[in-house]
Amino acid sequence: MITAKEYAARCNELMSMMVANSIAIITAAPERIRSRDTHYPYKQATSLSYLCGFAEPESVLVLIPGRDQGQSLLFCREKDKLRETWNGYRHGPEGAVANFAVDDAFPIGDIDEILPGMLEGKERVYYAIGKDPEFDRHLMSWVNEIRGQKSRGSAPPGEFVDLDHLVNEMRLIKTASELKVMRKAGEISARAHCRAMQISVPGIYEYQLQAEIEHEFMASGASAPAYTSIVGGGRNGCILHYTENRQKIADGDLVLIDAGCEYENYAADITRTFPVNGKFSAEQAAIYDIVLQAQAEAIAKIAPGAPYNVANDATVAVITEGLRDLGILDGEVAELIEREAYKEFYMHSSGHWLGMDVHDVGDYKIENQWRVYEPGMVVTVEPGIYISPDNTTVAEKWRGLAVRIEDDIAITKSGCENFTSGVPKTRADIEALMATN
Ligand code: GLY
Ligand code: MN
Ligand code: MN
């Protein structure tokens, strides 16, 4: 759990990076309609969640370092008995101050009266320009209002600076309590993958495996899948973001499941690939072992001080050599890597930052150089091989095979920790688990 004290520390850290006489404005995500008058489950904007944990829509966090009457302010919905009866609890401004690490709170309906006065005379406004067109318009109208009063001595803010860059760098390095939550998200997701392996049987539908996975997420206290679960039987595994999940899985097919839960606002992201009937065929085993070795060699290279791309380079080397040894690629390994011949079969990179967003924030390069791993970063390692069913340049026995293996790796002081090791990934361990259903 992230405590109010930690949220306050995050706001303080952000304010310490802001220039003197400045203001930061962080808006909530809008609610989105799914169908007529029903909405998608509400998901708070991650920057606002990160800074104060407030989960209601129609809210705006404002940070004004050095302000005597309070530096962190929240605009939020007022309490409303009728609306709360229909749509759920609201903290209201008083509840916000009592339960969240903000110094003061105001009704969102009063923002037009209050915020222009706070903007006036500020040198710099930190704001995620262009992310919320409706709020952009409000902000510009307040600024224009101040400009219109210039002759009466009002000073419009001097400059607008992207807020995300500062927050994203903070989010990239996780604290001990964030890592604890992410470890739990990984454990729950690993259990869900074990459950899918154990229930699997030829003729099962992809959506039935999805249901098993998501049952385990929700029964364990997760709030949702962190992204739409991918359950691809057979050739569907070759579609990287396959989410239809409607097909029956035939005896002899592999199943590729890429699914992770969101637990207390943090994502897990696991992929496992296994034979629906519990036994790898010779061809499946050959491809599987290359991907597993690629992943192992990448993880072995992840440690503080190593540049980000060591993991991707390791996966490319192992996959290229493996495909060449099987006769799927033809030529010298170095030359095949040089001309990126592997990309026909391994068309994504080895991973991404993981955190509150599944593809989490944070730069991968600094001044055009790969940044180095630091303790507190979390990255996925997810090599794969996908042989299109229509690829007539490879022997028929390989066509339609797809394998990806993905784990969530936290960088520690001495190396790294795998948050998702609870689900097996050697062929022997998968076959043993599947035999226990
Ligand atoms: N689940 C999306 C990804 O692995 O990046
Ligand atoms: Mn994934
Ligand atoms: Mn991923």
Side-chain angles (χ1 to χ4, degrees), residues 393-409:
T393 68
V394 300
E396 201 170 341
K397 63 179 181 177
W398 303 118
R399 292 183 208 158
L401 285 178
V403 173
R404 179 163 67 252
I405 305 171
E406 176 174 26
D407 283 298
D408 302 345
I409 306 297

Side-chain angles (χ1 to χ4, degrees), residues 227 258 269-271 351-352 354 358-359 380-382 404 406 408:
Y227 50 93
D258 183 344
D269 185 6
I270 303 182
T271 307
H352 49 84
L354 184 72
V358 64
H359 294 166
T380 68
V381 182
E382 50 178 305
R404 179 163 67 252
E406 176 174 26
D408 302 345

Side-chain angles (χ1 to χ4, degrees), residues 210-243:
Q210 178 181 3
E212 294 297 330
I213 289 261
E214 293 178 8
H215 171 97
E216 193 66 39
F217 289 173
M218 306 311 279
S220 303
S223 53
Y227 50 93
T228 308
S229 302
I230 295 168
V231 183
R235 56 164 56 192
N236 292 336
C238 293
I239 304 167
L240 297 179
H241 290 160
Y242 174 78
T243 51

Side-chain angles (χ1 to χ4, degrees), residues 240-241 258 269 271 291 294-295 298 302 308-317 319 340 342-353 359 364-365 370 373 379-386 403-407:
L240 297 179
H241 290 160
D258 183 344
D269 185 6
T271 307
V291 178
Q295 202 218 25
I302 295 178
Y308 177 80
N309 64 327
V310 286
N312 190 60
D313 288 354
T315 61
V316 165
I319 287 174
E340 301 184 335
Y342 58 88
K343 281 205 169 162
E344 191 178 351
F345 306 101
Y346 176 33
M347 58 293 280
H348 56 78
S349 61
S350 71
H352 49 84
W353 303 130
H359 294 166
Y364 292 88
K365 284 187 169 179
W370 292 109
Y373 291 111
V379 70
T380 68
V381 182
E382 50 178 305
I385 294 178
Y386 315 88
V403 173
R404 179 163 67 252
I405 305 171
E406 176 174 26
D407 283 298

Side-chain angles (χ1 to χ4, degrees), residues 230-272:
I230 295 168
V231 183
R235 56 164 56 192
N236 292 336
C238 293
I239 304 167
L240 297 179
H241 290 160
Y242 174 78
T243 51
E244 285 168 35
N245 304 349
R246 302 308 303 166
Q247 300 226 331
K248 197 173 189 169
I249 309 169
D251 196 6
D253 276 350
L254 287 176
V255 195
L256 185 158
I257 301 185
D258 183 344
C261 73
E262 184 172 291
Y263 181 78
E264 290 184 6
N265 286 323
Y266 288 81
D269 185 6
I270 303 182
T271 307
R272 287 293 185 269

Side-chain angles (χ1 to χ4, degrees), residues 102-141:
V102 291
D103 297 328
D104 208 350
F106 308 97
I108 187 75
D110 293 351
I111 197 166
D112 274 330
E113 272 104 78
I114 299 173
L115 200 55
M118 294 175 167
L119 285 165
E120 197 187 325
K122 293 289 180 296
E123 302 274 331
R124 184 179 278 189
V125 181
Y126 293 88
Y127 172 68
I129 305 155
K131 297 266 165 67
D132 181 344
E134 198 181 325
F135 198 86
D136 287 356
R137 277 194 295 278
H138 278 293
L139 187 55
M140 287 313 129
S141 76

